[in-house]
Amino acid sequence: MNHDLLLIDTAEELHKLPRTAEGPRAVVMTMGALHEGHATLIRTAREQAGPAGQVVVTVFVNPLQFGANEDLDRYPRTLDADLEIARAAGADAVFAPAVDEVYPGGDPQVRVSAGPMGERLEGATRPGHFDGMLTVVAKLLHLTRPDLALFGQKDAQQLALIRRMVTDLNFPSKVVGVPTVREEDGLALSSRNRYLSAQERRTALALSRALFAGQDRLAAQAALRARAEAAPASDERATALARLGEIRCAADAHAVSAAGTGLPDAVRAAARHVLEEAARHDPPLLLDYLALVDPQDFTDVGPDFTGQAVLAVAAKVGTTRLIDNIPLEFGAHT
């Protein structure tokens, strides 16, 4: 899309940005170093806002969500390239403020608390991270005043916390989650992927392979359960199975119950096996966590769980820490 892109770096200029009467304003919040994952978010925002709507991209490396030993200074800053990606993807304006524009009085004394969910998984590894993230998201929602705010599902816990904040604090914006974008080899797109050497990248592929192994285990168990439940339940069952020549199906009556209970543990085990193999690679994968959680509060799901869950993983390869996740659906056991 060829059109003029407005670059804004102050809140005053942003407040003067006229809204369109014909369509909604959609915002995509980023920390810059834009890649195809961000471009997908912007294109989705353009689709949802429509040709008459308005798409605003924010580019701001938020110091509040970096810990003392994290990569704030190392984080890539590529504004010129970001502007080209934003323009090509359909953005109308980019808000790229300096730190003292967002935090004019220095570090804010009042911040948004992420609550108990913010202390789990990523929050346990990175104390205070989610408080800093929610604080800047709240500020940017106030500053940009969007009808729609789009976030990637790769940061599943972040997305869940933003949804909770918007609901609990009555923000008028609608939060839209956009599926994770992956490279051809399965690695989830991330600005930090550029830090990986070729050998480190090979090890890092274990993250997505582990998630897909868990997904495959769930699908295999679901197929077994469906096949077992489709077999006759009367005395004709044994005859019907013998006629099919499926000797394995003689145990399907037990498999029906086995396939419906304890499945979350089987999914975790399938994923963990891949990660344990990667821990023996050179360089090794250093696992932070593997978790199968309820997306409402990010607590671990039990053996009889039904409904949507998130299989999430975080690990370090070399000096680069990566996260990934996939949504899974556990059917009701009947």
Side-chain angles (χ1 to χ4, degrees), residues 306-320:
T306 61
Q308 190 174 77
V310 172
L311 182 62
V313 63
K316 183 175 283 190
V317 181
T319 59
T320 304

Side-chain angles (χ1 to χ4, degrees), residues 137-152:
V137 169
K139 288 180 73 77
L140 290 173
L141 286 173
H142 285 309
L143 289 168
T144 58
R145 297 168 294 161
D147 302 290
L148 306 171
L150 292 86
F151 298 91

Side-chain angles (χ1 to χ4, degrees), residues 125-280:
T125 300
R126 307 174 67 188
H129 165 72
F130 285 126
D131 290 359
M133 179 275 295
L134 289 179
T135 298
V136 79
V137 169
K139 288 180 73 77
L140 290 173
L141 286 173
H142 285 309
L143 289 168
T144 58
R145 297 168 294 161
D147 302 290
L148 306 171
L150 292 86
F151 298 91
Q153 291 178 0
K154 184 179 80 73
D155 298 295
Q157 192 172 4
Q158 169 180 284
L159 176 58
L161 282 162
I162 291 170
R163 289 190 194 279
R164 174 55 59 188
M165 178 184 74
V166 165
T167 298
D168 288 353
L169 301 184
N170 298 102
F171 280 83
S173 304
K174 177 183 177 183
V175 176
V176 177
V178 178
T180 301
V181 178
R182 299 185 179 278
E183 301 194 40
E184 288 186 6
D185 56 11
L187 189 67
L189 279 171
S190 169
S191 300
R192 291 187 171 94
N193 290 353
R194 68 186 69 194
Y195 300 148
L196 297 169
S197 68
Q199 205 165 352
E200 288 171 343
R201 186 185 176 91
R202 285 193 289 272
T203 296
L205 292 177
L207 272 75
S208 56
R209 286 204 304 267
L211 297 179
F212 295 139
Q215 184 181 57
D216 290 346
R217 181 60 180 272
L218 175 60
Q221 290 291 98
L224 171 63
R225 181 164 167 256
R227 190 189 73 200
E229 290 181 339
S234 66
D235 292 340
E236 299 174 5
R237 174 183 174 83
T239 303
L241 294 176
R243 193 159 50 237
L244 289 171
E246 296 187 49
I247 298 175
R248 283 180 57 200
C249 287
D252 273 357
H254 173 70
V256 172
S257 59
T261 59
L263 188 48
D265 289 338
V267 168
R268 291 184 184 98
R272 188 170 293 279
H273 176 73
V274 176
L275 298 170
E276 289 172 349
E277 287 288 324
R280 294 189 284 272

Side-chain angles (χ1 to χ4, degrees), residues 17-28 42 44-56 90-92 144-150 172-174 176:
L17 178 66
R19 303 179 70 97
T20 61
E22 296 80 9
R25 175 182 285 180
V27 67
V28 174
I42 298 167
T44 304
R46 181 80 273 163
E47 291 168 5
Q48 298 222 356
Q54 188 178 68
V55 175
V56 177
D92 297 301
T144 58
R145 297 168 294 161
D147 302 290
L148 306 171
L150 292 86
S173 304
K174 177 183 177 183
V176 177

